[in-house]
Amino acid sequence: MIRAAFAAGALTAAGLLVLAARRGLLLTTVDGTSMEPALCSGDRILVRRTRRVRRGQVTLLRPDDRPRTTLLLKRTVAVPGDHVPAGWADPDVARIAGAPVPRHMLVVLGDNRPASWDSRHYGYVPRHRVVGVMLCRLSGHRPSAAKARPDEASNNSDA
């Protein structure tokens, strides 16, 4: 009887832990090249749901004018109170260079600037659009530097 009660309690606790993890963590797949070379299309990442973001963290966020199912993955480069350096980006379509980042706002950039749509184009990101921050990369395709080129492979035959 005591073992059955203990087992039921353990199952309930395990269920609550799984529920808490699902509410606090998100698994997503990178789609696109804006965060290369740090993250490549196809990489799976684990995200902690939070709106507390520090400078330098990779942030998952909802864009302003896209469907709610589409999310962006960018690096946070400035948080409230930081000054956006003059000449920080080209183009600075949003014209935020030299200004302090307002309260409850962030400035985000893709690591691959030529392929990224980010704060250079749409300005500050309201903190309420943040879904979470990346904890780690779990898996994905990484090109191997050790792969032989086709012309080298043919030279290694024993013919």
Side-chain angles (χ1 to χ4, degrees):
M1 179 84 110
I2 294 175
R3 283 186 179 170
F6 178 76
L11 283 174
T12 302
L16 289 173
L17 284 172
V18 168
L19 180 64
R22 286 190 62 159
R23 292 185 55 83
L25 299 174
L26 175 71
L27 183 64
T28 190
T29 303
V30 176
D31 182 21
T33 60
S34 71
M35 287 300 294
E36 286 182 354
L39 297 169
C40 298
S41 194
D43 285 351
R44 305 272 294 166
I45 62 167
L46 187 63
V47 174
R48 179 174 43 93
R49 293 181 189 265
T50 184
R51 290 204 170 115
R52 294 181 182 188
V53 180
R54 292 186 306 231
R55 188 181 320 100
Q57 288 183 309
V58 175
T59 307
L60 187 66
L61 53 106
R62 289 185 174 84
D64 191 22
D65 57 354
R66 293 193 182 194
R68 293 186 68 78
T69 57
T70 301
L71 299 173
L72 298 176
L73 195 60
K74 305 293 176 190
R75 189 170 307 278
T76 299
V77 295
V79 295
D82 288 352
H83 282 269
V84 180
W88 73 288
D90 185 32
D92 182 7
V93 176
R95 298 179 192 265
I96 59 176
V101 178
R103 191 172 177 200
H104 304 296
M105 298 288 192
L106 303 169
V107 176
V108 297
L109 287 174
D111 287 356
N112 182 6
R113 304 289 192 273
S116 184
W117 184 69
D118 48 39
S119 287
R120 295 171 300 163
H121 305 96
Y122 51 74
Y124 301 114
V125 175
R127 185 169 281 169
H128 71 268
R129 284 200 221 134
V130 172
V131 174
V133 296
M134 185 181 93
L135 292 176
C136 62
R137 185 178 73 83
L138 299 175
S139 65
H141 173 71
R142 291 285 177 181
S144 173
K147 284 186 182 175
R149 288 181 279 167
D151 60 325
E152 290 176 347
S154 63
N155 293 334
N156 293 331
S157 65
D158 292 327

